[in-house]
Amino acid sequence: MDIRYEVGPKDFKTYTTEEMREAFLVESLFEEGALHLSYSHYDRLIIGGAVPSHEAIALDAGDALKTDYFLERRELAVINIGGEGTVTVGKDTYKMAKRDCLYVGRGNEHVEFASNDPQQPARFYLVSATAHQTYPTKLAPIGEAQPTKLGSDAESNNRTIYKYVHKDGIESCQLMVGMTLLEPNNMWNTMPAHLHDRRMEAYLYFDMEEDTRVFHFMGQPQETRHLVIKNEQAVISPPWSIHSGVGTSNYTFIWAMAGENYTFTDMDTVAMEELK
């Protein structure tokens, strides 16, 4: 378990590039045959990656959470970004193709990840938040998700948004999770930018070529910085920070939020003239 502590906006202004990367960029989530987890002190969000090969991988945080099992006081969303696989929750097994999402409620002791084909393993992205209420485990296949079209070619942000876990979709305690796909020749996401001081957010960028990059912008609107991110890397975005990016090519990203407010539209838009 990798631990990331909170950074305030005043200290952030003094950070070097390397200090920014150490605080906010999660570089190595996916390793074949392994489970990697990163714990953020912003709203206690955990993100992780599980890549089962010949053997299944159980969800286990060791002694890091000081609980008897991972989901004793947490909820979980799992999105598959690789080959076909399964997630077993208790005695139930859920088949997951690429871009399917599974929500697992609080109180489930046994969660296990497996790949159908070790030569093309599933790549499970995990997002977990603390939970005070239990909601039922539910699968959301990408084929049944309702897409929302936004942006335009003229703005270089023609994109499709899929909402998985949210108020009008799969119910959760405080997690909100979705995925955004940019069309070819479109590179910008979440611009004009916004803030939501009542919850934090994490982005996982994927479906990128090895030699492409995303420049992820963060910081307070009047003093922004950027991180250079490659395929299957994630960034932790504090509540006080904008979160926007532009790629050298199109890409896909999973956004996940946790915090006080459970309303998707709870955001404070930042006008272009405010950005510096």
Side-chain angles (χ1 to χ4, degrees), residues 71-76 103-108 129-137 171-175 262:
L71 294 179
E72 183 176 321
R73 299 180 60 82
R74 287 185 161 270
E75 59 187 354
L76 172 72
Y103 172 81
V104 185
R106 184 190 69 166
N108 286 285
T130 56
H132 59 267
Q133 186 171 340
T134 300
Y135 289 92
T137 298
E171 289 187 288
S172 71
C173 187
Q174 65 160 327
L175 268 180
Y262 194 58

Side-chain angles (χ1 to χ4, degrees), residues 158-174:
N158 188 352
R159 63 201 189 275
T160 303
I161 297 177
Y162 293 91
K163 299 176 187 177
Y164 293 123
V165 183
H166 63 108
K167 184 178 180 182
D168 299 317
I170 298 177
E171 289 187 288
S172 71
C173 187
Q174 65 160 327

Side-chain angles (χ1 to χ4, degrees), residues 65-94:
L65 298 182
K66 304 299 181 183
T67 54
D68 292 334
Y69 55 95
F70 191 95
L71 294 179
E72 183 176 321
R73 299 180 60 82
R74 287 185 161 270
E75 59 187 354
L76 172 72
V78 182
I79 302 94
N80 184 11
I81 65 169
E84 293 184 351
T86 59
V87 179
T88 299
V89 181
K91 296 181 180 180
D92 298 319
T93 298
Y94 300 86

